[in-house]
Amino acid sequence: MRVLVPYDARDPKTRLSPVFDAAERAALARRMLEDVLEVLERAGHDPTVLATAEVDALDVESVVDERPLSEAVNRQLERDGPLAVVMADLPLLTVETAERLFDREGDVVIAPGLGGGTNALVVRHPSFRVDYHGVSYRDHVAHATELGATVSTVYSFRLAVDVDDPDDLVEVLLHGENATTEWLRNAGASLEETETRTRLSRSTDSR
Amino acid sequence: MRVLVPYDARDPKTRLSPVFDAAERAALARRMLEDVLEVLERAGHDPTVLATAEVDALDVESVVDERPLSEAVNRQLERDGPLAVVMADLPLLTVETAERLFDREGDVVIAPGLGGGTNALVVRHPSFRVDYHGVSYRDHVAHATELGATVSTVYSFRLAVDVDDPDDLVEVLLHGENATTEWLRNAGASLEETETRTRLSRSTDSR
């Protein structure tokens, strides 16, 4: 099965701006992409990066499509399904978890992100199309059900944690063991305990 | 193995105050407790509620200990281990996930919550003591390692989502199928899409 990894090659991870500048965000996004690609390859897949612009020095095949994410993915679904779509910002992903995703039966297999997003998707039904806007997990389940497709949800901690906000990086620091986590530590990121929760902190001398 | 379910019978879930008043928070906490107890019983366990005050009309055994959580749990560990501790605010817990926790080998088995908490714990080592303050997942791993105990982490979406803030209830509305989710819907809770994330919303006519 083809595995697409969408990647924003232009201005990735803007919501991390309070902690990292544009160059750092680009470096972090690239590190996360490489971690995800490596895991997918070790799990026996041959992933294709679906990028918004040319990506330098990639070891895997890439397709450039400047359109919004959902349109770009749907174009690939129309052309050549079945297809899996795994987000590039899942630095806790392991081979075991990737296998759990791909081994799951169902016309449509969805791994929800925290907050109702769709972090990974296996589409084996020819008419299924994506819409990543809003509470996409719920919308994807509804769409698949309308099509009469069988739907299966993969509940996974490692697939649920995507990186949008600084707080998401708390999980990566706590549980990650790959290049992304190392990058974060080298960038001076650490955990800070507040009254109610653990937040990301950054030592200023690393900036 | 004894299974403790700590429960704040006094003023539970204060961080939900922006959405629910004190009586509602008490009702919601009780509903979550009952969901967790039911799952543990269906998984073949005989849970004991470790409460901060008397709890009315419970179908299971309870122990009242007014001291802070860590002290109360440690007293039970000193008295009568091995012991499991499963938090009362895990409304996504299923029998399958509970079995995954208890089947996992290790002197200390930890299921982390989002943000570095410890949502469930199986303690088979006689010297292990808990400290729920701060980034307890990290601290519990370190403490067990110092003791020479084998440590195993259970990464589970369903065990990771505990209910502290209103946003945590987004996951319960999206993925829950038990009495807690029904209670939330009846209370007028629903999902609201914002620019960056999905939040909990509440219709005012349900208040």
Side-chain angles (χ1 to χ4, degrees):
Chain A
M1 178 181 291
R2 282 207 306 155
V3 182
L4 284 184
V5 181
Y7 181 63
D8 181 357
R10 287 197 170 129
D11 186 19
K13 300 296 157 199
T14 49
R15 280 154 64 190
L16 297 179
S17 307
V19 189
F20 298 116
D21 67 28
E24 289 169 332
R25 285 184 276 116
L28 173 59
R30 177 65 187 249
R31 208 59 55 109
M32 292 197 288
L33 172 69
E34 286 170 4
D35 276 341
V36 167
L37 293 175
E38 189 192 326
V39 165
L40 291 170
E41 288 178 322
R42 281 168 45 217
H45 299 280
D46 190 14
T48 300
V49 174
L50 176 64
T52 53
E54 288 290 342
V55 183
D56 290 338
L58 263 186
D59 286 337
V60 307
E61 191 190 342
S62 66
V63 174
V64 175
D65 191 327
E66 298 181 359
R67 293 176 301 174
L69 175 62
S70 300
E71 287 176 51
V73 169
N74 284 335
R75 186 193 204 182
Q76 298 297 319
L77 278 168
E78 282 153 26
R79 279 191 174 178
D80 189 12
L83 192 65
V85 186
V86 178
M87 292 302 162
D89 60 351
L90 304 174
L92 298 183
L93 188 65
T94 59
V95 172
E96 190 182 22
T97 302
E99 285 170 347
R100 216 181 122 202
L101 173 73
F102 289 102
D103 288 349
R104 182 68 68 87
E105 291 182 15
D107 296 333
V108 178
V109 177
I110 310 181
L114 293 166
T118 301
N119 284 357
L121 195 58
V122 176
V123 182
R124 302 184 178 104
H125 191 286
S127 308
F128 186 88
R129 297 294 177 268
V130 300
D131 180 356
Y132 283 101
H133 188 77
V135 191
S136 66
Y137 168 74
R138 187 179 57 180
D139 298 342
H140 285 148
V141 169
H143 172 46
T145 305
E146 279 165 18
L147 291 173
T150 55
V151 189
S152 186
T153 299
V154 174
Y155 287 105
S156 158
F157 185 104
R158 293 181 176 282
L159 281 165
V161 175
D162 55 350
V163 172
D164 292 313
D165 296 307
D167 282 353
D168 298 325
L169 294 171
V170 167
E171 310 304 331
V172 183
L173 280 172
L174 275 170
H175 305 293
E177 294 173 345
N178 52 21
T180 302
T181 304
E182 196 186 344
W183 185 94
L184 287 170
R185 293 206 178 105
N186 289 339
S190 64
L191 302 180
E192 179 190 14
E193 296 176 30
T194 71
E195 189 66 31
T196 55
R197 59 188 302 174
T198 306
R199 304 209 87 109
L200 190 82
S201 149
R202 195 169 179 209
S203 63
T204 45
D205 58 358
S206 313
R207 297 199 187 209
Chain B
M1 177 181 291
R2 281 208 306 157
V3 182
L4 284 185
V5 181
Y7 181 63
D8 180 358
R10 286 194 171 131
D11 187 18
K13 300 297 156 200
T14 49
R15 281 155 61 191
L16 297 179
S17 307
V19 189
F20 297 117
D21 67 29
E24 289 169 332
R25 285 184 276 116
L28 173 58
R30 178 64 187 250
R31 208 59 54 110
M32 293 197 287
L33 172 68
E34 285 170 4
D35 277 341
V36 167
L37 293 175
E38 189 192 324
V39 165
L40 291 170
E41 288 179 321
R42 280 167 45 216
H45 299 278
D46 190 14
T48 300
V49 174
L50 177 64
T52 54
E54 288 291 343
V55 184
D56 290 338
L58 264 185
D59 285 338
V60 306
E61 191 190 342
S62 66
V63 174
V64 174
D65 192 328
E66 298 180 359
R67 293 176 302 174
L69 176 62
S70 299
E71 288 178 50
V73 169
N74 284 335
R75 185 191 205 182
Q76 298 297 319
L77 279 168
E78 282 153 26
R79 281 190 173 179
D80 188 12
L83 192 65
V85 186
V86 178
M87 292 302 162
D89 60 351
L90 304 174
L92 298 183
L93 188 64
T94 60
V95 171
E96 191 182 21
T97 302
E99 285 170 347
R100 216 180 123 203
L101 173 74
F102 289 102
D103 288 349
R104 183 67 69 87
E105 291 183 15
D107 295 333
V108 178
V109 176
I110 310 181
L114 293 166
T118 301
N119 284 358
L121 195 57
V122 177
V123 182
R124 301 185 178 104
H125 191 287
S127 307
F128 185 88
R129 297 293 178 267
V130 300
D131 181 356
Y132 283 101
H133 189 78
V135 190
S136 66
Y137 168 74
R138 187 179 56 180
D139 298 342
H140 285 149
V141 169
H143 172 46
T145 306
E146 280 165 18
L147 291 173
T150 56
V151 189
S152 185
T153 298
V154 174
Y155 287 105
S156 157
F157 184 104
R158 294 182 176 281
L159 280 165
V161 175
D162 55 351
V163 172
D164 292 313
D165 296 307
D167 282 353
D168 298 325
L169 294 171
V170 167
E171 310 304 331
V172 183
L173 280 172
L174 275 169
H175 305 293
E177 295 174 345
N178 53 21
T180 302
T181 304
E182 196 186 343
W183 186 93
L184 287 170
R185 293 204 178 108
N186 289 339
S190 63
L191 303 181
E192 179 190 14
E193 295 175 30
T194 71
E195 189 65 31
T196 55
R197 59 189 299 174
T198 306
R199 304 209 87 110
L200 190 81
S201 150
R202 195 170 178 208
S203 62
T204 44
D205 58 358
S206 313
R207 298 201 184 205

